[in-house]
Amino acid sequence: MGPGVTCPWGSRLSGFQVRTWIEPVVASTQVASSLYDAGLLLVVKESFASGDGGASNNSASYSLRGHQEDQQQKAVSNFYIIYNLVVGLTPLLSAYGLGWLSDRYHRKISICTSMLGFLLSRTGLLLKVMLNWPVEVMYGAVALNGLCGGFSAYWSGAMALGSLSCSEGRRSLRLMLIDLVLGLAGFCGSMTSGHLFKQMVGHSAHGLLLTSCSVGCAGFALFYSLFVLKVPESGSKPNKVHPTVDTVSGMVGTYRTLDPDQQDKQDVPGTPPTPGKGRTSRNIVVLLFVGALVYDVALVGTVDIMGLFVLKEPLSWNQVQLGYGMASGYMVVITSFLGVFVFSRCFQDTTMIIIGMVSFGSGALLMAFVKKTYMYFIARAIMMFALIPTTTIRSAMSKLIKDSSYGKVFVTLQLCLTLTGVVTSTIYNKIYQLTLDKFSGTCFILSSILSFLATVPIGIVAYKQALRKQQGESTEK
């Protein structure tokens, strides 16, 4: 551990600095986001429902109601196509620059700027509810959020601070702990979102209390990041013997370095760098990157469609049920953290990544055939390790770069994932509209296939590491 800073979950309390924790910002931001996401979906749904002119009444036939529901689903889907395009594309104008400024001048630049954007977008939804503005106003609100860096700048900054506050050996668990806080906060926000939305203040003000709470949490996150949060000192020291030696040669051990045996070899004076090592490490990064992108397509596509899927028949959830459903999604963060905590003691990182991908792919396949509410939660339970791959891959990449480049590298990765998510969202929403009348679970089957395909590059990484370990053992003999 670095001098003066320890991880919040560490056993030693010397130099324990609460103000260096990024967790309060993550928790308050995620509560605001979970309330906002549920509120936006319900507000948009109600806006398009009110545009039906009340044609769906008690005397309407079942087929007519079904047709109107499909039309409403397509209208909400079209809204989210444009909305997600704005969410994904506008950060491209500013996020990388914020990451560069964070590396060069101050680590909090990307976080504080993105917090301002979050507050503006949440305020936009509050004003839409209060003043009954058209839903299209949310395009402008989320554009302001994106120009301030959006989630890409915010999350890369959070990951950079989390990486700085811990040694390389515990970085995977440290980043997973931040994900755990995010999941717990999102769970609490989602569980209360449906109840808050039903409260009315005045006339036809559904969602006013919910959006007000979202704005309050976003305002607290901005205040905390500006005036309370401190940047920790680097928790990792450079290798003084051979600083150019690749410190990530394998994928063994999440709590330790990726290859603890190799780390021991580096600590022995006079051990020269192995020829071709840097190229092998770059190949590992590329394979991990490809696996992350393919898996992200499956993950984002499923999450985007799931909200629409549960609002239509045969599930036809109400506001409270929708909040509970979103909360079950955040439970995946908790189970993924526990999975890393347990699996890292007996499995390699590549094995844990594959477990997570198979878990999500199996759950997505079952989700395609969900007809009852209990089946939905069973499918969610099968996805319990779905977030292990993304965090573990990000942790592995962080050990290949210098801490002075965390901002640029993390924001580049996040922007690639965001851009992929924009394309994915558009394609999935169109596929959902085309298959809505035939088989609405088509998108989930596609996600399942992609999730299993993502295990291929990770399996190649595992194979390469096994060969390198075998070669190393034969060289010692």
Side-chain angles (χ1 to χ4, degrees), residues 404-421:
S404 60
S405 301
Y406 283 163
K408 291 179 291 186
V409 174
F410 282 149
V411 80
T412 300
L413 173 61
Q414 192 62 46
L415 283 174
C416 290
L417 294 176
T418 301
L419 189 59
T420 303

Side-chain angles (χ1 to χ4, degrees), residues 287 290-291 354 357 450-463:
L287 288 169
V290 171
I354 292 175
M357 292 177 173
L450 290 174
S451 182
F452 287 118
L453 287 177
T455 63
V456 175
I458 306 302
I460 296 175
V461 170
Y463 177 72

Side-chain angles (χ1 to χ4, degrees), residues 74-104:
K74 291 179 180 179
V76 176
S77 178
N78 285 328
F79 168 83
Y80 272 101
I81 287 176
I82 301 175
Y83 180 86
N84 290 330
L85 283 172
V86 178
V87 169
L89 295 180
T90 50
L92 297 177
L93 303 175
S94 58
Y96 185 83
L98 290 172
W100 181 84
L101 290 173
S102 298
D103 285 338
R104 188 173 180 85

Side-chain angles (χ1 to χ4, degrees), residues 26 79 205 212 264 324 473:
V26 172
F79 168 83
S212 298
D264 295 338
Y324 291 163
E473 292 175 351

Side-chain angles (χ1 to χ4, degrees), residues 28-320:
S28 54
T29 302
Q30 191 55 41
V31 170
S33 296
S34 59
L35 294 176
Y36 172 84
D37 292 340
L40 179 63
L41 178 58
L42 293 170
V43 166
V44 171
K45 179 178 179 291
E46 284 200 350
S47 297
F48 287 114
S50 62
D52 292 339
S56 180
N57 50 41
N58 294 331
S59 61
S61 65
Y62 178 83
S63 60
L64 179 59
R65 290 198 302 271
H67 174 72
Q68 290 171 343
E69 184 182 62
D70 289 349
Q71 291 299 112
Q72 184 186 22
Q73 286 269 307
K74 291 179 180 179
V76 176
S77 178
N78 285 328
F79 168 83
Y80 272 101
I81 287 176
I82 301 175
Y83 180 86
N84 290 330
L85 283 172
V86 178
V87 169
L89 295 180
T90 50
L92 297 177
L93 303 175
S94 58
Y96 185 83
L98 290 172
W100 181 84
L101 290 173
S102 298
D103 285 338
R104 188 173 180 85
Y105 297 106
H106 201 285
R107 287 290 177 189
K108 294 203 302 182
I109 291 177
S110 60
I111 293 179
C112 294
T113 306
S114 57
M115 288 297 99
L116 175 61
F118 283 164
L119 179 60
L120 292 175
S121 62
R122 275 62 181 164
T123 304
L125 182 59
L126 175 62
L127 294 175
K128 186 262 179 273
V129 173
M130 291 179 60
L131 305 177
N132 198 25
W133 285 348
V135 293
E136 287 76 15
V137 74
M138 294 309 303
Y139 298 149
V142 78
L144 291 176
N145 182 19
L147 292 175
C148 291
F151 183 82
S152 298
Y154 154 67
W155 196 239
S156 61
M159 291 293 99
L161 290 185
S163 298
L164 284 172
S165 65
C166 269
S167 63
E168 289 186 358
R170 295 193 172 188
R171 190 164 297 161
S172 292
L173 187 62
R174 176 72 178 98
L175 299 186
M176 200 66 218
L177 180 63
I178 297 176
D179 276 341
L180 175 63
V181 173
L182 180 145
L184 289 173
F187 176 82
C188 295
S190 296
M191 287 292 289
T192 59
S193 61
H195 298 283
L196 292 175
F197 186 83
K198 293 174 66 177
Q199 302 297 321
M200 288 197 302
V201 179
H203 179 67
S204 299
H206 282 89
L208 181 59
L209 181 60
L210 183 147
T211 52
S212 298
C213 292
S214 179
V215 170
C217 292
F220 173 81
L222 176 60
F223 174 85
Y224 191 95
S225 60
L226 281 172
F227 302 109
V228 181
L229 182 64
K230 291 180 64 177
V231 178
E233 299 176 10
S234 177
S236 58
K237 296 181 180 180
N239 193 316
K240 295 181 180 180
V241 179
H242 297 291
T244 59
V245 173
D246 173 27
T247 59
V248 182
S249 61
M251 294 293 291
V252 180
T254 301
Y255 287 119
R256 304 172 295 279
T257 59
L258 290 180
D259 189 347
D261 296 332
Q262 184 64 33
Q263 182 67 26
D264 295 338
K265 295 176 186 177
Q266 292 173 10
D267 293 336
V268 179
T271 304
T274 304
K277 218 171 171 186
R279 179 178 299 178
T280 303
S281 297
R282 285 193 295 270
N283 292 338
I284 292 174
V285 172
V286 171
L287 288 169
L288 291 172
F289 200 85
V290 171
L293 288 179
V294 175
Y295 183 67
D296 189 66
V297 170
L299 196 64
V300 171
T302 298
V303 172
D304 278 356
I305 298 302
M306 201 171 291
L308 297 173
F309 180 76
V310 299
L311 291 177
K312 69 178 292 293
E313 294 182 348
L315 297 182
S316 300
W317 282 4
N318 57 32
Q319 297 97 326
V320 176

Side-chain angles (χ1 to χ4, degrees), residues 359-371:
S359 171
F360 177 78
S362 302
L365 183 61
L366 178 60
M367 187 68 70
F369 303 97
V370 165
K371 300 297 182 182

